[in-house]
């Protein structure tokens, strides 16, 4: 009788031990899966990298003039042209600069900082009018490269006056909502309560 009781108790203790080991293994596996999910999720958000929120079209008339001196400044030669600059400027956010961390236990991505908008690209198209060359100072193929740089610089100086940056800041919430949708694809939630958003910009989204 005692041997049967001992065998029965052994089976119970063995079952308890097996259940305890299975619980530890399952918990560890779930923890590793959660960490893997958070890593993949953060990488997925960073892979979006740059987000364009505002585009501005510019049309500017630019007067180009270049004067060179020759033979110990005995005489000068001049080349000039009237240039129409049609440019597209793209303003947005570099999402790789966002500060984020993952809360694995609550399955949340916490957004603690959002970058300022910046000029992502300027694409100028130049049209030349009233081109005047001099015998000793004429336009060359290299001048086009230099003028493209000058055109970009000229448009860059015009952007602060255009209020594109202010508009891009107002569109920041759209970028945050995009990140939120990415987070929700694997059942996580985005916490951006640390960010300061104007009241009229806060979304009418129910938060738990």
């Amino acid at each position: 009788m005692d041997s049967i009781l001992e065998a029965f108790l052994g089976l119970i203790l063995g079952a308890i031990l097996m259940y305890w080991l299975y619980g530890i293994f399952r918990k560890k596996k779930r923890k590793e899966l959660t960490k893997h999910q958070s890593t993949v999720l953060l990488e997925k958000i960073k892979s979006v990298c740059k987000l364009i929120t505002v585009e501005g079209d510019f049309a500017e008339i630019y007067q180009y003039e270049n004067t060179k001196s020759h033979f110990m400044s005995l005489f000068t030669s001049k080349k000039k042209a009237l240039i129409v600059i049609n440019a597209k400027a793209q303003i947005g956010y570099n999402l790789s600069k966002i500060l984020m961390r993952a809360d694995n236990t609550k399955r949340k991505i916490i957004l603690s900082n959002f970058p300022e908008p910046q000029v992502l690209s300027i694409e100028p198209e130049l049209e030349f009018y009233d081109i005047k060359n001099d015998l000793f100072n004429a336009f060359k193929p290299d001048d086009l490269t230099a003028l493209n740089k000058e055109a970009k610089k000229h448009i860059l100086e015009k952007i602060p006056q255009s209020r594109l940056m202010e508009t891009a800041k107002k569109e920041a919430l759209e970028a945050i909502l995009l990140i939120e949708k990415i987070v929700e694809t694997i059942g996580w939630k985005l916490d951006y309560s640390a960010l300061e958003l104007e009241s009229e910009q806060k979304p009418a989204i129910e938060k738990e």
Side-chain angles (χ1 to χ4, degrees):
M1 185 72 179
D2 290 340
S3 60
I4 295 173
L5 183 62
E6 287 176 0
F8 181 71
L9 289 173
L11 286 171
I12 292 175
L13 289 173
I16 292 172
L17 181 63
M18 288 295 293
Y19 180 79
W20 180 69
L21 289 172
Y22 173 74
I24 292 175
F25 175 75
R26 188 177 178 184
K27 187 176 180 182
K28 184 179 179 182
K29 188 174 181 181
R30 190 187 303 119
K31 189 175 180 182
E32 287 176 354
L33 179 63
T34 302
K35 284 185 177 179
H36 178 70
Q37 277 187 325
S38 66
T39 303
V40 170
L41 186 57
L42 291 174
E43 290 301 319
K44 188 176 181 181
I45 292 170
K46 287 180 180 179
S47 70
V48 177
C49 198
K50 293 181 181 179
L51 179 67
I52 299 167
T53 57
V54 179
E55 283 188 347
D57 292 315
F58 293 83
E60 297 283 332
I61 297 175
Y62 184 70
Q63 181 76 42
Y64 175 80
E65 187 174 297
N66 176 269
T67 303
K68 288 184 177 180
S69 299
H70 303 279
F71 302 107
M72 300 178 65
S73 300
L74 291 176
F75 72 93
T76 60
S77 60
K78 184 185 295 182
K79 62 183 175 185
K80 60 181 181 178
L82 190 65
I83 305 169
V84 175
I85 304 171
N86 292 300
K88 184 184 292 293
Q90 296 179 331
I91 315 296
Y93 297 89
N94 186 344
L95 300 185
S96 64
K97 294 182 179 180
I98 292 176
L99 296 182
M100 295 180 293
R101 66 181 179 87
D103 187 333
N104 296 317
T105 56
K106 296 181 179 179
R107 293 174 66 84
K108 288 197 306 184
I109 297 294
I110 300 166
L111 191 60
S112 57
N113 181 64
F114 200 78
E116 289 292 313
Q118 64 185 75
V119 179
L120 297 179
S121 71
I122 298 176
E123 300 171 5
E125 290 184 4
L126 308 183
E127 296 179 12
F128 292 81
Y129 298 91
D130 194 24
I131 299 174
K132 293 183 179 178
N133 290 306
D134 194 279
L135 179 62
F136 296 100
N137 190 9
F139 281 97
K140 299 177 182 177
D142 291 344
D143 290 327
L144 184 59
T145 303
L147 285 170
N148 265 288
K149 290 181 180 179
E150 285 290 327
K152 285 185 177 182
K153 183 181 177 182
H154 181 72
I155 296 301
L156 190 61
E157 291 171 353
K158 294 289 181 180
I159 287 176
Q161 305 167 23
S162 67
R163 303 188 65 82
L164 284 175
M165 289 298 186
E166 287 80 358
T167 304
K169 285 181 180 180
K170 291 178 182 178
E171 296 293 327
L173 183 62
E174 295 298 324
I176 294 172
L177 293 179
L178 173 63
I179 296 171
E180 187 171 45
K181 288 178 181 177
I182 295 173
V183 170
E184 289 174 350
T185 57
I186 63 167
W188 285 52
K189 291 189 177 180
L190 180 68
D191 181 357
Y192 51 90
S193 57
L195 301 183
E196 293 183 5
L197 298 174
E198 295 178 8
S199 57
E200 64 269 18
Q201 287 185 290
K202 290 184 179 178
I205 298 175
E206 196 173 319
K207 301 281 182 182
E208 290 187 1

